[in-house]
Amino acid sequence: MVESATLFNREYMSKILVTGGAGFLGSHLCDRLVASGMDVLCVDNFYTGSKTNVAELFGKPNFELMRHDVTFPLYVEVDQIFNLACPASPIHYQFDPVQTTKTSVHGAINMLGLAKRVKAKILQASTSEVYGDPEVHPQPESYWGRVNPIGPRSCYDEGKRCAETLFFDYHRQHNLPIKIVRIFNTYGPRMHPGDGRVVSNFILQALRNEDITIYGDGLQTRSFCYVDDLIDGMMKVMNTGEDFTGPVNLGNPSEIKMLELAEKVLRLTASKSKMVFKILPQDDPKQRQPDISKAKAKLNWQPKVALDDGLKLTVDYFKAVLNL
Ligand code: NAD
Ligand code: UDP
Ligand code: UDP
């Protein structure tokens, strides 16, 4: 007979749910949580993520993978929830915009309902897109943003804004412990090769010696954060006290023009590619740079990886993907 003491006296491991855990950021987060000894349940419908991203975790006793769409209710028992499920690149989220809004809004309601039932702490992966095409630069959390509510990016931007509203209403109405991080452009290994984002596009084009596609005049700016830095920040936010809800910006404040990024990638890959100019997509923000004063003050967090170093690691990853 098994003694009940054997069953119940085992060391308690926190049970963590990561939605969208088979995606780019989610898989890095699962790696880190599993390595730190947490009991991780990764939930994903594999819309843009893949089992390959978490393949190295298969077989570990503290990792589980479940195929599930967060727009449907989910009944599991967990202590913490990282809600990352949502396609993140413009090509992917504009492919089925209605589903994108459903994932952000219905997905948030379901995960908040779950958190409420099991009394879990819940973190939302929000985005710099809540600031839209900003008139305030750099963007602090206090800026309400300039988002077009009816454009091609709106399914994502407004979906994410509504999710933030839901998080705060569950917090106010049901006293739920919430955390919101506003993630700025992040890059690194395991970015989807077909996601059309600028870092993956430029690197793949350069490695294949194809034309580098600059949208518009290339003078628009972004600020790129390496994935490891971002995951550090996200985990720090989850571990803050109950009084810290965010929203808090997570990103790398070093801003760069897309033309300069193309030149950097060409140099790092010693590519023969030429730059070609294409039409700028509608509602493409002209500038974006996080104000990370809050993250520095409240979390003692700031990115450590320089763009050149992060790009080199990402180039190595895509070389392996292309068998180069
Ligand atoms: P990603 O597309 O690689 O990952 C999203 C994951 O969610 C994928 O694995 C996908 O299959 C899954 N998913 C999508 N819809 C789902 C659904 N209905 N049910 C279950 N799973 C679903 O994108 P990412 O870059 O890893 O982004 C992760 C999160 O971070 C997203 O919420 C995104 O909005 C946010 N974010 C990312 C960035 C960035 O630069 N990468 C910037 C801002 C915000
Ligand atoms: N929900 C879920 N898992 C749970 C608890 C709730 O997916 O463990 C879903 C449930 O389907 C509901 C949503 O979360 O639609 C919101 O739940 P809440 O309790 O806030 O609202 P209500 O059930 O009263 O609509
Ligand atoms: N971009 C580009 N060439 C590409 C892909 C993107 O010049 O092949 C530009 C795009 O117009 C935008 C910036 O790079 O100004 C960042 O685009 P991405 O889709 O990576 O992210 P987001 O616009 O969501 O910040």
Side-chain angles (χ1 to χ4, degrees):
M1 199 180 89
V2 182
E3 295 286 332
S4 58
T6 323
L7 282 175
F8 297 112
N9 281 354
R10 282 176 305 178
E11 197 179 324
Y12 183 77
M13 290 159 89
S14 281
K15 291 192 273 305
I16 320 270
L17 166 62
V18 180
T19 76
F24 162 49
L25 297 182
S27 62
H28 285 276
L29 178 62
C30 287
D31 283 348
R32 293 281 293 277
L33 292 169
V34 167
S36 62
M38 305 292 182
D39 190 357
V40 176
L41 170 60
C42 167
V43 162
D44 205 294
N45 68 350
F46 306 120
Y47 184 57
T48 51
S50 75
K51 288 182 203 167
T52 319
N53 285 341
V54 286
E56 283 172 24
L57 298 175
F58 293 164
K60 302 228 186 228
N62 57 334
F63 179 76
E64 253 177 298
L65 176 62
M66 182 196 284
R67 182 192 291 267
H68 176 79
D69 184 322
V70 295
T71 61
F72 296 98
L74 176 67
Y75 287 82
V76 290
E77 310 307 311
V78 291
D79 305 302
Q80 295 179 7
I81 304 170
F82 286 89
N83 188 37
L84 274 67
C86 186
S89 81
I91 286 189
H92 287 153
Y93 70 64
Q94 289 171 22
F95 179 74
D96 186 348
V98 173
Q99 177 65 17
T100 299
T101 304
K102 280 186 188 169
T103 293
S104 277
V105 178
H106 292 181
I109 292 174
N110 286 329
M111 292 310 104
L112 287 161
L114 167 61
K116 187 179 112 193
R117 182 179 62 78
V118 299
K119 299 187 173 46
K121 194 160 44 160
I122 180 166
L123 178 147
Q124 167 69 356
S126 190
T127 168
S128 52
E129 286 284 321
V130 300
Y131 302 122
D133 191 0
E135 292 146 313
V136 173
H137 193 74
Q139 294 81 54
E141 292 84 353
S142 54
Y143 178 51
W144 288 359
R146 188 166 75 116
V147 172
N148 175 358
I150 56 166
R153 294 176 90 102
S154 314
C155 58
Y156 183 73
D157 300 8
E158 296 290 18
K160 289 283 188 180
R161 286 171 68 96
C162 184
E164 288 200 10
T165 308
L166 284 161
F167 267 66
F168 269 88
D169 282 332
Y170 269 78
H171 175 64
R172 284 184 288 251
Q173 206 172 321
H174 301 299
N175 220 9
L176 195 67
I178 62 153
K179 317 275 176 200
I180 293 179
V181 295
R182 292 185 178 152
I183 303 169
F184 283 64
N185 297 62
T186 302
Y187 70 99
R190 300 197 195 133
M191 291 184 88
H192 194 298
D195 72 5
R197 280 191 264 195
V198 69
V199 172
S200 41
N201 265 14
F202 284 2
I203 292 178
L204 283 166
Q205 290 162 345
L207 289 175
R208 292 169 169 147
N209 290 312
E210 292 170 355
D211 289 343
I212 304 276
T213 53
I214 312 274
Y215 299 163
D217 54 14
L219 299 179
Q220 71 273 32
T221 68
R222 294 292 186 275
S223 308
F224 296 100
C225 185
Y226 188 64
V227 60
D228 289 358
D229 282 333
L230 197 278
I231 302 299
D232 277 346
M234 229 190 226
M235 288 175 65
K236 277 196 161 185
V237 173
M238 185 56 112
N239 291 327
T240 51
E242 274 212 15
D243 58 328
F244 186 83
T245 56
V248 60
N249 290 337
L250 292 182
N252 192 320
S254 58
E255 188 182 6
I256 184 171
K257 295 186 179 75
M258 294 310 99
L259 265 180
E260 292 166 350
L261 178 71
E263 282 159 7
K264 228 181 229 306
V265 170
L266 284 172
R267 208 168 45 246
L268 287 172
T269 52
S271 170
K272 298 190 191 70
S273 296
K274 306 218 165 3
M275 294 187 209
V276 294
F277 291 83
K278 303 263 180 185
I279 291 166
L280 187 71
Q282 191 188 326
D283 294 339
D284 198 278
K286 281 179 277 305
Q287 52 182 2
R288 187 182 289 149
Q289 183 191 31
D291 176 336
I292 60 163
S293 326
K294 191 171 179 177
K296 278 184 181 164
K298 303 276 182 192
L299 311 167
N300 192 23
W301 174 87
Q302 62 180 323
K304 298 190 185 99
V305 182
L307 184 56
D308 276 61
D309 297 334
L311 284 176
K312 277 183 205 141
L313 295 166
T314 314
V315 166
D316 289 345
Y317 170 78
F318 280 113
K319 275 186 179 166
V321 169
L322 296 176
N323 287 321
L324 293 175

